[in-house]
Each structure stands twice: as structure tokens, then as C-alpha cells.
Amino acid sequence: MNATHKPEPRDQEEETVHRALEGFYSDGKPPWDTGVTPPELVALTEGPRRLPPGRVLELGCGTGTNAVHLARHGWDVTAVDLIDRAVERARAKAAEEGVAVQLLHGDATRLDELDAPGPFDLFFDLSCFCGIPLHRRDAYAAGLTRRAAPGARLLMFGYGPEPLANPTTEIASWAAGVTADELSARFTGWELLDVTPGTNSVPTFWFTLGREV
């Protein structure tokens, strides 16, 4: 932990989210933690338009499936999760696979409290941002922006209320998910490069943002 930044206490809404996430892990496998690396991330590591390996920060890494995948493909990986049980499993998975991953137990909206100074070339978020209380989302965006290398990429998966043809510009609760308009507004100095619908039974999207050079 960075000694220059004292831990900031969580408010009641954040505690509610934290307890809900802990409940998923204590009851079994969370629905977002499938154990399979999504093809959208595989395309960045193996596809014809793959990115050259660099430094990557995964937000909400769960049990480490995607962090391990990135490390296998030459990336210098730092991964963060709010739930200590998930981080323990991720550390065990990385050890079993024989890959080096810096795994941190902490809050993706309070990166200054963690040993994750950056800069990072890639950020990966599988359903983390869409579960963050609205009043903490600007802190999340600012934390990534301060750690982004010029031209950095953010690949984010999340659920949302909108069909692409009828975008919703505002959401009233974190439970409603995330929209493209919200990301464009919160991520100052970034460009929304792509929005691709997911294949889930509820509306989901893959968002790609690029840090302006």
C-alpha cells in the first residue's frame, strides 16, 4: 500500500455493494467469473490486430482467469479486486500456471491506496465499473487516466439499459449498469472508439476507449 495515501472509508452504499460481492464468492462461483477468457480479450492478445505486450491493469480481476491469460501472452500484469477471497484464488491460480501476476486486494476507485502507479498501456474491466456506485465512478475514471500511457486502451464489458439505436444518457442507480454516453462524459481525455453489443440474454456491451496522445 502506498504509505502517502491513507485508506478512505467506504460509505453505506459502497458497503452494500461490497457485501453483495462477498456473498457471490461465499455462495459459489459468481456469474461473471466463468473461468473462460472472453474472445474480445483474446483478440487483443492473439488476433491479427493484437496489441504488442506491455503493462496492463485489470480492474475487478475475480479469480484471475484473464490476468493469467494476459501474463501467458507476455503482458506485465497488475490485477485488483475488492474481495479478498477472489484475490486469494487468483494468486493460487497464477502460482499453479507458473506466471507472474501482481495481485492486489483493494478498491478500483481508490487506486492511490494501492501499489499500482502505472503507466499502463491497457486496462481491462469485466463487469467492474458497472457495479460501482455512481458517486465513485468519477474517481475510477480519474485513477485510470492518471495511470494511462499515451494512446492507452481500455476494454470494458458491462450491462446497460440501452439499445444502441436509442441511447440513454443518464442512469439513476449503479444497478442500471453503464452507458456509452456516461463513459464519454466521465473519461475526460479519452475517445470512445467502439461499442459492440454482447451476446447475453440481457443488454450487455463491450466498450473500447482510447487515451488521447
Side-chain angles (χ1 to χ4, degrees):
M1 180 178 292
N2 190 334
T4 62
H5 294 87
K6 295 182 179 180
E8 182 182 349
R10 293 191 292 260
D11 62 23
Q12 184 174 356
E13 186 176 17
E14 292 175 272
E15 288 292 350
T16 298
V17 173
H18 185 259
R19 287 195 297 271
L21 294 174
E22 283 190 323
F24 277 112
Y25 281 101
S26 62
D27 292 342
K29 180 184 288 187
W32 58 85
D33 202 333
T34 64
V36 178
T37 297
E40 290 79 7
L41 180 58
V42 173
L44 293 186
T45 59
E46 299 179 3
R49 297 183 180 180
R50 63 184 177 273
L51 299 177
R55 300 189 67 199
V56 56
L57 176 61
E58 182 179 5
L59 296 312
C61 66
T63 61
T65 297
N66 300 308
V68 167
H69 171 86
L70 286 157
R72 282 177 180 163
H73 287 79
W75 287 82
D76 181 353
V77 184
T78 300
V80 177
D81 202 277
L82 187 62
I83 307 304
D84 54 359
R85 189 189 304 257
V87 173
E88 290 172 4
R89 294 181 187 174
R91 286 176 178 151
K93 186 176 293 184
E96 289 171 2
E97 297 294 333
V99 295
V101 178
Q102 183 185 21
L103 285 151
L104 304 174
H105 174 219
D107 188 334
T109 74
R110 293 177 170 86
L111 293 177
D112 289 344
E113 298 176 4
L114 304 175
D115 183 19
F120 295 100
D121 306 292
L122 176 65
F123 301 92
F124 181 63
D125 178 330
L126 185 69
S127 300
C128 178
F129 183 88
C130 62
I132 292 173
L134 300 186
H135 70 282
R136 295 300 307 171
R137 293 186 177 188
D138 282 341
Y140 173 106
L144 268 60
T145 300
R146 287 194 297 271
R147 289 161 175 79
R153 193 84 58 89
L154 165 60
L155 178 63
M156 178 188 292
F157 175 82
Y159 60 88
E162 64 184 47
L164 289 179
N166 184 26
T168 301
T169 57
E170 295 184 8
I171 54 176
S173 165
W174 65 269
V178 58
T179 71
D181 286 344
E182 179 191 6
L183 294 179
S184 294
R186 292 192 190 275
F187 281 81
T188 304
W190 296 71
E191 180 183 0
L192 184 63
L193 302 175
D194 183 70
V195 182
T196 299
T199 58
N200 307 72
S201 58
V202 298
T204 57
F205 305 92
W206 285 95
F207 305 97
T208 303
L209 289 85
R211 182 74 168 104
E212 296 174 0
V213 178

